[in-house]
Amino acid sequence: MRFHTRKWIKPQDLNPNGTLFGGRLLEWIDEEAALYAIIQLENPKTVTKFMSEIDFKSSAKQGDIIEIGLEVTKFGTASLTLKCEVRNKMTRETIISIEKIVMVSLNEQGKVKPHGKTEIEYVKDRLK
Ligand SMILES: CC(=O)SCCNC(=O)CCNC(=O)[C@H](O)C(C)(C)COP(=O)(O)OP(=O)(O)OC[C@H]1O[C@@H](n2cnc3c(N)ncnc32)[C@H](O)[C@@H]1OP(=O)(O)O
């Protein structure tokens, strides 16, 4: 799994208990998965279709740094399936893990569109 993004927990990210608000974390995960899938599939019209069970194992507090990791588990016809883990850099604990996030590639009309991809591509190779 590669951890692409770090976030610094700020006052606006907290719930009334003073810990990281779960909805904020899910927003960050969804955006991270969307950005990753859009770049991999080379299609800005890529949407979140499915997210499996969410289990908050630990939390984070103001000032903590967290990191969001993603791993591709399957290239489908129009879908890309990812696995996600978020870790607290301060406590080294896992905050959340999501076994399955399915992103789907769409065409201009919003209909499912096969992406034709079968493996991870790296930007440096695309630039050659
Ligand atoms: C980043 C964002 O914020 S996006 C915003 C939130 N997301 C959305 O608004 C999406 C709204 N949903 C939709 O528009 C539609 O459900 C669509 C177009 C995405 C999919 O329509 P469907 O009729 O379900 O498509 P279809 O049955 O052809 O499935 C497409 C792919 O998704 C997969 N899929 C569909 N439903 C599920 C599911 N419940 N779980 C896992 N995978 C699924 C299919 O296996 C298929 O994969 P494949 O192409 O690799 O074989």
Side-chain angles (χ1 to χ4, degrees), residues 50-99:
F50 177 86
M51 233 185 238
S52 66
E53 200 168 65
I54 287 156
D55 179 9
F56 285 95
K57 294 177 175 152
S58 71
S59 191
K61 57 183 190 330
Q62 188 174 326
D64 283 355
I65 296 165
I66 66 164
E67 55 182 0
I68 304 172
L70 287 176
E71 185 182 318
V72 173
T73 56
K74 187 182 154 201
F75 280 89
T77 306
S79 70
L80 179 71
T81 305
L82 305 168
K83 187 175 172 174
C84 174
E85 189 180 325
V86 181
R87 302 191 297 218
N88 188 325
K89 292 287 278 180
M90 298 341 206
T91 63
R92 300 193 179 148
E93 287 179 318
T94 297
I95 297 175
I96 203 172
S97 51
I98 305 176
E99 271 307 302

mmCIF file of all heavy atoms in Angstrom, residues 50-99:
data_model
loop_
_atom_site.group_PDB
_atom_site.id
_atom_site.type_symbol
_atom_site.label_atom_id
_atom_site.label_comp_id
_atom_site.label_asym_id
_atom_site.label_seq_id
_atom_site.Cartn_x
_atom_site.Cartn_y
_atom_site.Cartn_z
ATOM 1 N N PHE A 50 -19.114 2.196 -4.735
ATOM 2 C CA PHE A 50 -19.345 1.340 -3.572
ATOM 3 C C PHE A 50 -18.212 1.491 -2.561
ATOM 4 O O PHE A 50 -17.042 1.623 -2.941
ATOM 5 C CB PHE A 50 -19.408 -0.115 -4.052
ATOM 6 C CG PHE A 50 -19.566 -1.123 -2.956
ATOM 7 C CD1 PHE A 50 -20.820 -1.453 -2.475
ATOM 8 C CD2 PHE A 50 -18.451 -1.745 -2.406
ATOM 9 C CE1 PHE A 50 -20.962 -2.397 -1.455
ATOM 10 C CE2 PHE A 50 -18.591 -2.682 -1.389
ATOM 11 C CZ PHE A 50 -19.848 -3.009 -0.915
ATOM 12 N N MET A 51 -18.590 1.484 -1.295
ATOM 13 C CA MET A 51 -17.605 1.483 -0.212
ATOM 14 C C MET A 51 -18.052 0.439 0.797
ATOM 15 O O MET A 51 -19.217 0.444 1.210
ATOM 16 C CB MET A 51 -17.577 2.856 0.463
ATOM 17 C CG MET A 51 -16.209 3.460 0.541
ATOM 18 S SD MET A 51 -16.211 4.969 1.462
ATOM 19 C CE MET A 51 -15.562 6.057 0.235
ATOM 20 N N SER A 52 -17.155 -0.462 1.161
ATOM 21 C CA SER A 52 -17.543 -1.522 2.090
ATOM 22 C C SER A 52 -17.544 -0.999 3.526
ATOM 23 O O SER A 52 -17.295 0.178 3.768
ATOM 24 C CB SER A 52 -16.615 -2.720 1.942
ATOM 25 O OG SER A 52 -15.318 -2.378 2.336
ATOM 26 N N GLU A 53 -17.783 -1.893 4.427
ATOM 27 C CA GLU A 53 -17.882 -1.585 5.858
ATOM 28 C C GLU A 53 -16.780 -0.635 6.356
ATOM 29 O O GLU A 53 -15.614 -0.794 5.997
ATOM 30 C CB GLU A 53 -17.744 -2.911 6.594
ATOM 31 C CG GLU A 53 -18.250 -2.925 7.985
ATOM 32 C CD GLU A 53 -18.324 -4.366 8.471
ATOM 33 O OE1 GLU A 53 -17.267 -5.004 8.595
ATOM 34 O OE2 GLU A 53 -19.448 -4.837 8.698
ATOM 35 N N ILE A 54 -17.183 0.282 7.189
ATOM 36 C CA ILE A 54 -16.237 1.248 7.733
ATOM 37 C C ILE A 54 -16.109 1.014 9.234
ATOM 38 O O ILE A 54 -17.115 0.945 9.933
ATOM 39 C CB ILE A 54 -16.733 2.678 7.425
ATOM 40 C CG1 ILE A 54 -16.524 2.975 5.940
ATOM 41 C CG2 ILE A 54 -16.025 3.719 8.273
ATOM 42 C CD1 ILE A 54 -17.432 4.022 5.409
ATOM 43 N N ASP A 55 -14.889 0.850 9.672
ATOM 44 C CA ASP A 55 -14.649 0.514 11.072
ATOM 45 C C ASP A 55 -13.608 1.496 11.632
ATOM 46 O O ASP A 55 -12.431 1.407 11.297
ATOM 47 C CB ASP A 55 -14.141 -0.942 11.121
ATOM 48 C CG ASP A 55 -13.818 -1.405 12.526
ATOM 49 O OD1 ASP A 55 -14.147 -0.672 13.487
ATOM 50 O OD2 ASP A 55 -13.236 -2.496 12.671
ATOM 51 N N PHE A 56 -14.071 2.422 12.452
ATOM 52 C CA PHE A 56 -13.135 3.374 13.067
ATOM 53 C C PHE A 56 -12.432 2.672 14.230
ATOM 54 O O PHE A 56 -13.037 2.395 15.260
ATOM 55 C CB PHE A 56 -13.883 4.615 13.583
ATOM 56 C CG PHE A 56 -14.308 5.557 12.495
ATOM 57 C CD1 PHE A 56 -15.582 5.483 11.945
ATOM 58 C CD2 PHE A 56 -13.431 6.515 11.997
ATOM 59 C CE1 PHE A 56 -15.975 6.346 10.926
ATOM 60 C CE2 PHE A 56 -13.817 7.383 10.979
ATOM 61 C CZ PHE A 56 -15.092 7.298 10.452
ATOM 62 N N LYS A 57 -11.153 2.378 14.060
ATOM 63 C CA LYS A 57 -10.420 1.609 15.078
ATOM 64 C C LYS A 57 -9.784 2.498 16.125
ATOM 65 O O LYS A 57 -9.599 2.104 17.270
ATOM 66 C CB LYS A 57 -9.355 0.776 14.385
ATOM 67 C CG LYS A 57 -9.978 -0.292 13.508
ATOM 68 C CD LYS A 57 -8.946 -1.086 12.767
ATOM 69 C CE LYS A 57 -9.627 -2.216 12.013
ATOM 70 N NZ LYS A 57 -8.908 -2.617 10.834
ATOM 71 N N SER A 58 -9.350 3.671 15.713
ATOM 72 C CA SER A 58 -8.782 4.632 16.672
ATOM 73 C C SER A 58 -9.042 6.008 16.107
ATOM 74 O O SER A 58 -9.661 6.150 15.049
ATOM 75 C CB SER A 58 -7.289 4.375 16.876
ATOM 76 O OG SER A 58 -6.579 4.740 15.720
ATOM 77 N N SER A 59 -8.576 7.037 16.798
ATOM 78 C CA SER A 59 -8.882 8.385 16.327
ATOM 79 C C SER A 59 -7.628 9.235 16.233
ATOM 80 O O SER A 59 -6.499 8.737 16.312
ATOM 81 C CB SER A 59 -9.926 9.022 17.249
ATOM 82 O OG SER A 59 -10.404 10.210 16.653
ATOM 83 N N ALA A 60 -7.839 10.524 16.083
ATOM 84 C CA ALA A 60 -6.729 11.472 16.040
ATOM 85 C C ALA A 60 -7.208 12.730 16.730
ATOM 86 O O ALA A 60 -8.411 12.989 16.807
ATOM 87 C CB ALA A 60 -6.366 11.765 14.589
ATOM 88 N N LYS A 61 -6.262 13.498 17.227
ATOM 89 C CA LYS A 61 -6.646 14.740 17.895
ATOM 90 C C LYS A 61 -5.972 15.921 17.202
ATOM 91 O O LYS A 61 -5.099 15.723 16.341
ATOM 92 C CB LYS A 61 -6.318 14.684 19.382
ATOM 93 C CG LYS A 61 -4.877 14.420 19.706
ATOM 94 C CD LYS A 61 -4.714 14.307 21.203
ATOM 95 C CE LYS A 61 -3.266 14.275 21.672
ATOM 96 N NZ LYS A 61 -2.264 13.713 20.809
ATOM 97 N N GLN A 62 -6.385 17.103 17.616
ATOM 98 C CA GLN A 62 -5.824 18.314 16.999
ATOM 99 C C GLN A 62 -4.291 18.280 17.044
ATOM 100 O O GLN A 62 -3.708 17.959 18.080
ATOM 101 C CB GLN A 62 -6.348 19.550 17.736
ATOM 102 C CG GLN A 62 -5.967 20.851 17.057
ATOM 103 C CD GLN A 62 -6.615 22.045 17.729
ATOM 104 O OE1 GLN A 62 -7.737 21.963 18.228
ATOM 105 N NE2 GLN A 62 -5.928 23.160 17.743
ATOM 106 N N GLY A 63 -3.684 18.604 15.910
ATOM 107 C CA GLY A 63 -2.226 18.631 15.842
ATOM 108 C C GLY A 63 -1.615 17.337 15.350
ATOM 109 O O GLY A 63 -0.451 17.311 14.950
ATOM 110 N N ASP A 64 -2.406 16.244 15.370
ATOM 111 C CA ASP A 64 -1.882 14.970 14.852
ATOM 112 C C ASP A 64 -1.736 15.041 13.330
ATOM 113 O O ASP A 64 -2.419 15.827 12.658
ATOM 114 C CB ASP A 64 -2.827 13.800 15.188
ATOM 115 C CG ASP A 64 -2.704 13.340 16.645
ATOM 116 O OD1 ASP A 64 -1.835 13.860 17.363
ATOM 117 O OD2 ASP A 64 -3.501 12.461 17.046
ATOM 118 N N ILE A 65 -0.866 14.209 12.811
ATOM 119 C CA ILE A 65 -0.717 14.070 11.360
ATOM 120 C C ILE A 65 -1.184 12.664 11.004
ATOM 121 O O ILE A 65 -0.763 11.689 11.648
ATOM 122 C CB ILE A 65 0.751 14.274 10.932
ATOM 123 C CG1 ILE A 65 1.185 15.705 11.260
ATOM 124 C CG2 ILE A 65 0.938 13.971 9.442
ATOM 125 C CD1 ILE A 65 2.687 15.923 11.218
ATOM 126 N N ILE A 66 -2.051 12.600 10.011
ATOM 127 C CA ILE A 66 -2.516 11.275 9.562
ATOM 128 C C ILE A 66 -2.077 11.066 8.115
ATOM 129 O O ILE A 66 -1.787 12.035 7.408
ATOM 130 C CB ILE A 66 -4.043 11.118 9.709
ATOM 131 C CG1 ILE A 66 -4.786 12.074 8.773
ATOM 132 C CG2 ILE A 66 -4.479 11.329 11.156
ATOM 133 C CD1 ILE A 66 -6.248 11.728 8.587
ATOM 134 N N GLU A 67 -2.031 9.821 7.691
ATOM 135 C CA GLU A 67 -1.717 9.570 6.286
ATOM 136 C C GLU A 67 -2.710 8.578 5.708
ATOM 137 O O GLU A 67 -3.163 7.662 6.387
ATOM 138 C CB GLU A 67 -0.266 9.107 6.106
ATOM 139 C CG GLU A 67 0.125 7.914 6.912
ATOM 140 C CD GLU A 67 1.590 7.546 6.730
ATOM 141 O OE1 GLU A 67 2.316 8.218 5.981
ATOM 142 O OE2 GLU A 67 1.993 6.543 7.351
ATOM 143 N N ILE A 68 -3.032 8.804 4.426
ATOM 144 C CA ILE A 68 -4.062 8.017 3.748
ATOM 145 C C ILE A 68 -3.388 7.139 2.699
ATOM 146 O O ILE A 68 -2.685 7.641 1.823
ATOM 147 C CB ILE A 68 -5.095 8.941 3.068
ATOM 148 C CG1 ILE A 68 -5.708 9.904 4.097
ATOM 149 C CG2 ILE A 68 -6.192 8.122 2.373
ATOM 150 C CD1 ILE A 68 -6.593 10.988 3.493
ATOM 151 N N GLY A 69 -3.598 5.821 2.823
ATOM 152 C CA GLY A 69 -2.978 4.880 1.886
ATOM 153 C C GLY A 69 -4.005 4.185 1.014
ATOM 154 O O GLY A 69 -5.129 3.916 1.462
ATOM 155 N N LEU A 70 -3.611 3.920 -0.222
ATOM 156 C CA LEU A 70 -4.487 3.219 -1.163
ATOM 157 C C LEU A 70 -3.714 2.129 -1.873
ATOM 158 O O LEU A 70 -2.506 2.265 -2.109
ATOM 159 C CB LEU A 70 -5.024 4.182 -2.230
ATOM 160 C CG LEU A 70 -6.082 5.194 -1.834
ATOM 161 C CD1 LEU A 70 -6.386 6.104 -3.011
ATOM 162 C CD2 LEU A 70 -7.353 4.530 -1.335
ATOM 163 N N GLU A 71 -4.448 1.088 -2.235
ATOM 164 C CA GLU A 71 -3.847 -0.006 -3.000
ATOM 165 C C GLU A 71 -4.900 -0.510 -3.989
ATOM 166 O O GLU A 71 -6.062 -0.668 -3.613
ATOM 167 C CB GLU A 71 -3.491 -1.120 -2.006
ATOM 168 C CG GLU A 71 -2.755 -2.280 -2.598
ATOM 169 C CD GLU A 71 -2.500 -3.337 -1.516
ATOM 170 O OE1 GLU A 71 -2.147 -2.993 -0.367
ATOM 171 O OE2 GLU A 71 -2.700 -4.506 -1.837
ATOM 172 N N VAL A 72 -4.493 -0.761 -5.221
ATOM 173 C CA VAL A 72 -5.432 -1.312 -6.194
ATOM 174 C C VAL A 72 -5.549 -2.810 -5.940
ATOM 175 O O VAL A 72 -4.539 -3.507 -5.835
ATOM 176 C CB VAL A 72 -4.945 -1.087 -7.646
ATOM 177 C CG1 VAL A 72 -5.848 -1.808 -8.645
ATOM 178 C CG2 VAL A 72 -4.893 0.396 -7.974
ATOM 179 N N THR A 73 -6.782 -3.304 -5.839
ATOM 180 C CA THR A 73 -6.948 -4.752 -5.675
ATOM 181 C C THR A 73 -7.508 -5.400 -6.941
ATOM 182 O O THR A 73 -7.356 -6.584 -7.144
ATOM 183 C CB THR A 73 -7.847 -5.094 -4.469
ATOM 184 O OG1 THR A 73 -9.095 -4.422 -4.626
ATOM 185 C CG2 THR A 73 -7.210 -4.670 -3.162
ATOM 186 N N LYS A 74 -8.151 -4.588 -7.805
ATOM 187 C CA LYS A 74 -8.694 -5.184 -9.048
ATOM 188 C C LYS A 74 -8.977 -4.134 -10.119
ATOM 189 O O LYS A 74 -9.552 -3.079 -9.820
ATOM 190 C CB LYS A 74 -10.000 -5.907 -8.701
ATOM 191 C CG LYS A 74 -10.584 -6.696 -9.834
ATOM 192 C CD LYS A 74 -11.902 -7.345 -9.428
ATOM 193 C CE LYS A 74 -12.784 -7.595 -10.626
ATOM 194 N NZ LYS A 74 -14.183 -7.755 -10.278
ATOM 195 N N PHE A 75 -8.548 -4.463 -11.334
ATOM 196 C CA PHE A 75 -8.966 -3.676 -12.494
ATOM 197 C C PHE A 75 -10.126 -4.439 -13.118
ATOM 198 O O PHE A 75 -9.947 -5.575 -13.578
ATOM 199 C CB PHE A 75 -7.838 -3.571 -13.520
ATOM 200 C CG PHE A 75 -6.798 -2.540 -13.181
ATOM 201 C CD1 PHE A 75 -5.704 -2.876 -12.401
ATOM 202 C CD2 PHE A 75 -6.924 -1.230 -13.627
ATOM 203 C CE1 PHE A 75 -4.747 -1.928 -12.073
ATOM 204 C CE2 PHE A 75 -5.968 -0.274 -13.300
ATOM 205 C CZ PHE A 75 -4.876 -0.628 -12.525
ATOM 206 N N GLY A 76 -11.330 -3.852 -13.122
ATOM 207 C CA GLY A 76 -12.467 -4.486 -13.772
ATOM 208 C C GLY A 76 -12.615 -3.943 -15.182
ATOM 209 O O GLY A 76 -11.664 -3.376 -15.739
ATOM 210 N N THR A 77 -13.803 -4.080 -15.741
ATOM 211 C CA THR A 77 -14.055 -3.578 -17.100
ATOM 212 C C THR A 77 -14.203 -2.049 -17.080
ATOM 213 O O THR A 77 -13.499 -1.340 -17.801
ATOM 214 C CB THR A 77 -15.343 -4.230 -17.668
ATOM 215 O OG1 THR A 77 -15.190 -5.641 -17.566
ATOM 216 C CG2 THR A 77 -15.557 -3.844 -19.111
ATOM 217 N N ALA A 78 -15.125 -1.575 -16.235
ATOM 218 C CA ALA A 78 -15.298 -0.129 -16.084
ATOM 219 C C ALA A 78 -14.921 0.305 -14.666
ATOM 220 O O ALA A 78 -14.916 1.489 -14.351
ATOM 221 C CB ALA A 78 -16.739 0.258 -16.366
ATOM 222 N N SER A 79 -14.635 -0.669 -13.827
ATOM 223 C CA SER A 79 -14.382 -0.353 -12.419
ATOM 224 C C SER A 79 -12.909 -0.485 -12.050
ATOM 225 O O SER A 79 -12.127 -1.132 -12.760
ATOM 226 C CB SER A 79 -15.201 -1.288 -11.529
ATOM 227 O OG SER A 79 -14.684 -2.600 -11.599
ATOM 228 N N LEU A 80 -12.592 0.157 -10.945
ATOM 229 C CA LEU A 80 -11.270 0.019 -10.329
ATOM 230 C C LEU A 80 -11.551 -0.187 -8.845
ATOM 231 O O LEU A 80 -12.230 0.637 -8.218
ATOM 232 C CB LEU A 80 -10.440 1.291 -10.540
ATOM 233 C CG LEU A 80 -9.047 1.293 -9.918
ATOM 234 C CD1 LEU A 80 -8.130 0.333 -10.693
ATOM 235 C CD2 LEU A 80 -8.438 2.681 -9.935
ATOM 236 N N THR A 81 -11.067 -1.296 -8.294
ATOM 237 C CA THR A 81 -11.329 -1.574 -6.879
ATOM 238 C C THR A 81 -10.079 -1.259 -6.068
ATOM 239 O O THR A 81 -8.965 -1.671 -6.418
ATOM 240 C CB THR A 81 -11.755 -3.042 -6.680
ATOM 241 O OG1 THR A 81 -12.881 -3.295 -7.521
ATOM 242 C CG2 THR A 81 -12.140 -3.317 -5.246
ATOM 243 N N LEU A 82 -10.291 -0.522 -4.975
ATOM 244 C CA LEU A 82 -9.187 -0.078 -4.126
ATOM 245 C C LEU A 82 -9.402 -0.555 -2.699
ATOM 246 O O LEU A 82 -10.530 -0.818 -2.275
ATOM 247 C CB LEU A 82 -9.131 1.459 -4.105
ATOM 248 C CG LEU A 82 -9.041 2.181 -5.447
ATOM 249 C CD1 LEU A 82 -9.306 3.672 -5.246
ATOM 250 C CD2 LEU A 82 -7.666 1.978 -6.060
ATOM 251 N N LYS A 83 -8.305 -0.582 -1.982
ATOM 252 C CA LYS A 83 -8.317 -0.875 -0.547
ATOM 253 C C LYS A 83 -7.713 0.368 0.111
ATOM 254 O O LYS A 83 -6.791 0.973 -0.472
ATOM 255 C CB LYS A 83 -7.425 -2.088 -0.349
ATOM 256 C CG LYS A 83 -7.392 -2.670 0.989
ATOM 257 C CD LYS A 83 -6.534 -3.935 0.890
ATOM 258 C CE LYS A 83 -6.296 -4.474 2.275
ATOM 259 N NZ LYS A 83 -5.611 -5.757 2.208
ATOM 260 N N CYS A 84 -8.198 0.728 1.292
ATOM 261 C CA CYS A 84 -7.693 1.962 1.920
ATOM 262 C C CYS A 84 -7.359 1.739 3.390
ATOM 263 O O CYS A 84 -8.043 0.999 4.096
ATOM 264 C CB CYS A 84 -8.774 3.042 1.797
ATOM 265 S SG CYS A 84 -8.382 4.565 2.669
ATOM 266 N N GLU A 85 -6.304 2.401 3.804
ATOM 267 C CA GLU A 85 -5.966 2.405 5.231
ATOM 268 C C GLU A 85 -5.521 3.812 5.612
ATOM 269 O O GLU A 85 -4.802 4.466 4.850
ATOM 270 C CB GLU A 85 -4.842 1.404 5.501
ATOM 271 C CG GLU A 85 -4.609 1.205 6.983
ATOM 272 C CD GLU A 85 -3.488 0.212 7.275
ATOM 273 O OE1 GLU A 85 -3.331 -0.764 6.529
ATOM 274 O OE2 GLU A 85 -2.769 0.460 8.252
ATOM 275 N N VAL A 86 -5.970 4.265 6.788
ATOM 276 C CA VAL A 86 -5.541 5.575 7.287
ATOM 277 C C VAL A 86 -4.837 5.351 8.615
ATOM 278 O O VAL A 86 -5.355 4.654 9.495
ATOM 279 C CB VAL A 86 -6.750 6.524 7.481
ATOM 280 C CG1 VAL A 86 -6.281 7.880 7.983
ATOM 281 C CG2 VAL A 86 -7.517 6.685 6.176
ATOM 282 N N ARG A 87 -3.628 5.929 8.733
ATOM 283 C CA ARG A 87 -2.836 5.729 9.950
ATOM 284 C C ARG A 87 -2.573 7.063 10.627
ATOM 285 O O ARG A 87 -2.452 8.092 9.967
ATOM 286 C CB ARG A 87 -1.469 5.130 9.613
ATOM 287 C CG ARG A 87 -1.536 3.820 8.896
ATOM 288 C CD ARG A 87 -0.189 3.139 8.811
ATOM 289 N NE ARG A 87 0.817 3.876 8.059
ATOM 290 C CZ ARG A 87 1.708 3.309 7.259
ATOM 291 N NH1 ARG A 87 1.721 2.000 7.091
ATOM 292 N NH2 ARG A 87 2.601 4.029 6.629
ATOM 293 N N ASN A 88 -2.448 6.998 11.939
ATOM 294 C CA ASN A 88 -2.054 8.175 12.710
ATOM 295 C C ASN A 88 -0.528 8.139 12.849
ATOM 296 O O ASN A 88 0.025 7.195 13.426
ATOM 297 C CB ASN A 88 -2.735 8.118 14.092
ATOM 298 C CG ASN A 88 -2.528 9.385 14.884
ATOM 299 O OD1 ASN A 88 -1.481 10.018 14.806
ATOM 300 N ND2 ASN A 88 -3.530 9.753 15.665
ATOM 301 N N LYS A 89 0.135 9.147 12.300
ATOM 302 C CA LYS A 89 1.593 9.165 12.320
ATOM 303 C C LYS A 89 2.136 9.332 13.735
ATOM 304 O O LYS A 89 3.266 8.954 14.023
ATOM 305 C CB LYS A 89 2.136 10.325 11.467
ATOM 306 C CG LYS A 89 1.908 10.174 9.994
ATOM 307 C CD LYS A 89 2.797 9.127 9.369
ATOM 308 C CE LYS A 89 4.186 9.659 9.052
ATOM 309 N NZ LYS A 89 5.036 8.611 8.438
ATOM 310 N N MET A 90 1.339 9.972 14.621
ATOM 311 C CA MET A 90 1.808 10.222 15.982
ATOM 312 C C MET A 90 1.722 8.954 16.836
ATOM 313 O O MET A 90 2.668 8.594 17.519
ATOM 314 C CB MET A 90 0.972 11.314 16.665
ATOM 315 C CG MET A 90 0.976 12.690 16.063
ATOM 316 S SD MET A 90 2.289 13.107 14.951
ATOM 317 C CE MET A 90 2.349 14.867 15.142
ATOM 318 N N THR A 91 0.556 8.281 16.772
ATOM 319 C CA THR A 91 0.350 7.111 17.635
ATOM 320 C C THR A 91 0.733 5.811 16.921
ATOM 321 O O THR A 91 0.816 4.768 17.543
ATOM 322 C CB THR A 91 -1.131 6.995 18.044
ATOM 323 O OG1 THR A 91 -1.909 6.775 16.858
ATOM 324 C CG2 THR A 91 -1.633 8.262 18.732
ATOM 325 N N ARG A 92 0.925 5.889 15.605
ATOM 326 C CA ARG A 92 1.220 4.733 14.733
ATOM 327 C C ARG A 92 0.078 3.725 14.691
ATOM 328 O O ARG A 92 0.249 2.583 14.294
ATOM 329 C CB ARG A 92 2.517 4.036 15.154
ATOM 330 C CG ARG A 92 3.675 4.994 15.075
ATOM 331 C CD ARG A 92 4.992 4.325 15.167
ATOM 332 N NE ARG A 92 6.024 5.338 15.058
ATOM 333 C CZ ARG A 92 7.191 5.266 15.654
ATOM 334 N NH1 ARG A 92 7.496 4.209 16.366
ATOM 335 N NH2 ARG A 92 8.064 6.238 15.520
ATOM 336 N N GLU A 93 -1.099 4.173 15.136
ATOM 337 C CA GLU A 93 -2.259 3.275 15.104
ATOM 338 C C GLU A 93 -3.016 3.427 13.789
ATOM 339 O O GLU A 93 -2.988 4.496 13.168
ATOM 340 C CB GLU A 93 -3.202 3.612 16.263
ATOM 341 C CG GLU A 93 -2.671 3.170 17.612
ATOM 342 C CD GLU A 93 -3.623 3.542 18.738
ATOM 343 O OE1 GLU A 93 -4.178 4.652 18.739
ATOM 344 O OE2 GLU A 93 -3.785 2.715 19.635
ATOM 345 N N THR A 94 -3.718 2.360 13.404
ATOM 346 C CA THR A 94 -4.621 2.446 12.257
ATOM 347 C C THR A 94 -5.887 3.135 12.724
ATOM 348 O O THR A 94 -6.468 2.761 13.749
ATOM 349 C CB THR A 94 -4.959 1.030 11.740
ATOM 350 O OG1 THR A 94 -3.748 0.435 11.281
ATOM 351 C CG2 THR A 94 -5.963 1.075 10.607
ATOM 352 N N ILE A 95 -6.313 4.140 11.986
ATOM 353 C CA ILE A 95 -7.549 4.841 12.340
ATOM 354 C C ILE A 95 -8.738 4.152 11.684
ATOM 355 O O ILE A 95 -9.771 3.932 12.307
ATOM 356 C CB ILE A 95 -7.477 6.322 11.888
ATOM 357 C CG1 ILE A 95 -6.341 7.033 12.643
ATOM 358 C CG2 ILE A 95 -8.807 7.032 12.125
ATOM 359 C CD1 ILE A 95 -6.102 8.452 12.197
ATOM 360 N N ILE A 96 -8.571 3.824 10.412
ATOM 361 C CA ILE A 96 -9.673 3.209 9.677
ATOM 362 C C ILE A 96 -9.086 2.311 8.593
ATOM 363 O O ILE A 96 -8.012 2.616 8.058
ATOM 364 C CB ILE A 96 -10.563 4.310 9.046
ATOM 365 C CG1 ILE A 96 -11.977 3.841 8.756
ATOM 366 C CG2 ILE A 96 -9.980 4.876 7.792
ATOM 367 C CD1 ILE A 96 -12.893 4.987 8.317
ATOM 368 N N SER A 97 -9.792 1.235 8.290
ATOM 369 C CA SER A 97 -9.406 0.488 7.096
ATOM 370 C C SER A 97 -10.686 0.142 6.340
ATOM 371 O O SER A 97 -11.709 -0.181 6.950
ATOM 372 C CB SER A 97 -8.593 -0.761 7.434
ATOM 373 O OG SER A 97 -9.250 -1.514 8.392
ATOM 374 N N ILE A 98 -10.617 0.264 5.033
ATOM 375 C CA ILE A 98 -11.767 -0.026 4.168
ATOM 376 C C ILE A 98 -11.288 -1.054 3.150
ATOM 377 O O ILE A 98 -10.387 -0.779 2.362
ATOM 378 C CB ILE A 98 -12.303 1.246 3.466
ATOM 379 C CG1 ILE A 98 -12.633 2.333 4.495
ATOM 380 C CG2 ILE A 98 -13.536 0.910 2.628
ATOM 381 C CD1 ILE A 98 -13.087 3.651 3.905
ATOM 382 N N GLU A 99 -11.865 -2.221 3.210
ATOM 383 C CA GLU A 99 -11.437 -3.340 2.355
ATOM 384 C C GLU A 99 -11.705 -3.106 0.892
ATOM 385 O O GLU A 99 -10.927 -3.512 0.030
ATOM 386 C CB GLU A 99 -12.158 -4.631 2.776
ATOM 387 C CG GLU A 99 -11.434 -5.423 3.831
ATOM 388 C CD GLU A 99 -9.980 -5.736 3.471
ATOM 389 O OE1 GLU A 99 -9.724 -6.363 2.434
ATOM 390 O OE2 GLU A 99 -9.098 -5.309 4.268
#
